[in-house]
Amino acid sequence: MDFASLLGIISGIALIVVAIFLGGNPDVFINVPGLMIVAGGTIAATLLTVQFRDVLNAFRAAWIVFTRDKTNAQEMIDTMLELSRISHRHGLLMLGDIETDSRVLQRAANLLAEAASEQVIRNTLQNEIDSLIARHHTVQDVFRKMAMYAPAFGMLGTLIGLIQMLSALQDPETIGPAMAIALLTTFYGSLLATVVFLPIAGKLRARTLSEVTNLEIIREGCISILTNDHYAHVYEQLSSYLPEANRKPLRMGSKQKTETGDSSKPKPQGNKA
């Protein structure tokens, strides 16, 4: 579970709720018609803009943000180094027997085992990267649109409230409460946009960048393995994807710790992409 995402959204909502309770009567912040206008209007406008399937995929991806840890580039580098070790010891054909959770890594290993050309491997994995970016952009766009529509419907609800208030100016005592109710929809719209929709879109974008980095590591690692680069050369090339402070030192020879243990049945644990 990504505790940073969960902590962020819970702490943001909690601070706002505490501020409301400290400021006085929290009941004045509850207005069912205003919630209906903002929430219902935002969902309706989003469904008019994008396909229903994309909306479902967006909320499914948001759930993944809170339940699945971020992919680890260092683990992917270790996996590619292990594949390099296997190919040098047993040949490229052995890579077709690896077991991994990553569909892309499995496909890349099969291409290596089939002795595909460098151009085929590069084009295939680049297509995977482009496809992932396109899919994730669609998901992020759903939440960006919802972040745009929510304040707009909040303002619309405020205008409705002001119209109703102005129609009853003959009773001065109702002006204050009516104005407060009218402003609540703007509050709801801003709250949803800034605390929910925009942070989720930003988190999804960060997750996309992380997964793209992993796919690029797979691509460059496979090309290095295909060209029979030395183990240390593969490490130097792939470690450039990490900040220098986060790079693990390279261990050679018998001190090298591998992920698989038994080289006859390699099982690199790649991340899902």
Side-chain angles (χ1 to χ4, degrees):
M1 177 176 288
D2 189 343
F3 288 101
S5 301
L6 191 61
L7 178 62
I9 193 167
I10 290 178
S11 60
I13 294 176
L15 288 172
I16 294 174
V17 170
V18 170
I20 289 174
F21 273 89
L22 292 178
N25 183 12
D27 292 340
V28 298
F29 285 88
I30 300 175
N31 182 255
V32 176
L35 284 172
M36 292 172 58
I37 292 174
V38 175
T42 299
I43 294 174
T46 304
L47 291 175
L48 284 171
T49 306
V50 300
Q51 297 182 15
F52 181 72
R53 178 184 59 190
D54 293 334
V55 176
L56 290 180
N57 289 337
F59 281 97
R60 189 179 299 113
W63 173 254
I64 291 175
V65 165
F66 293 102
T67 57
R68 184 181 300 174
D69 291 332
K70 185 176 67 173
T71 53
N72 192 316
Q74 182 60 65
E75 290 181 1
M76 184 58 71
I77 291 175
D78 292 341
T79 298
M80 298 310 298
L81 291 175
E82 173 65 8
L83 294 185
S84 175
R85 186 189 67 82
I86 293 172
S87 68
H88 276 85
R89 288 189 178 184
H90 306 285
L92 291 175
L93 189 60
M94 180 62 72
L95 297 182
D97 296 332
I98 70 166
E99 298 176 8
T100 175
D101 294 331
S102 172
R103 177 184 56 83
V104 177
L105 180 58
Q106 187 72 63
R107 187 179 182 187
N110 290 337
L111 288 173
L112 287 172
E114 295 167 0
S117 67
E118 177 180 341
Q119 193 61 41
V120 169
I121 293 177
R122 186 180 295 277
N123 290 342
T124 300
L125 296 181
Q126 186 59 49
N127 288 339
E128 290 282 357
I129 294 173
D130 294 340
S131 177
L132 181 141
I133 292 174
R135 292 195 309 269
H136 287 206
H137 176 78
T138 300
V139 170
Q140 297 163 28
D141 194 49
V142 170
F143 286 102
R144 283 193 290 263
K145 283 183 168 57
M146 295 180 78
M148 177 180 65
Y149 292 141
F153 277 97
M155 183 59 66
L156 181 61
T158 296
L159 293 176
I160 293 173
L162 289 176
I163 291 172
Q164 294 173 341
M165 182 193 71
L166 292 175
S167 65
L169 280 179
Q170 64 273 14
D171 187 0
E173 293 183 356
T174 63
I175 294 178
M179 176 65 76
I181 293 175
L183 292 176
L184 273 180
T185 55
T186 298
F187 168 74
Y188 292 150
S190 298
L191 179 67
L192 288 174
T194 57
V195 178
V196 179
F197 299 143
L198 284 177
I200 290 178
K203 178 64 73 171
L204 289 172
R205 182 177 182 275
R207 186 65 59 87
T208 298
L209 294 176
S210 176
E211 293 189 13
V212 167
T213 298
N214 273 6
L215 294 185
E216 290 178 344
I217 290 172
I218 293 175
R219 182 191 62 196
E220 299 305 321
C222 286
I223 292 172
S224 295
I225 292 172
L226 182 66
T227 55
N228 202 30
D229 283 351
H230 188 270
Y231 185 89
H233 296 167
V234 177
Y235 166 80
E236 292 297 339
Q237 183 171 354
L238 298 185
S239 63
S240 62
Y241 285 94
L242 295 174
E244 188 171 356
N246 296 342
R247 298 174 187 175
K248 292 172 57 176
L250 178 64
R251 297 180 180 180
M252 301 295 293
S254 61
K255 294 183 179 181
Q256 173 64 33
K257 295 182 179 180
T258 64
E259 297 286 339
T260 61
D262 182 3
S263 60
S264 63
K265 293 183 179 180
K267 297 180 180 180
Q269 298 300 315
N271 294 305
K272 291 184 178 180

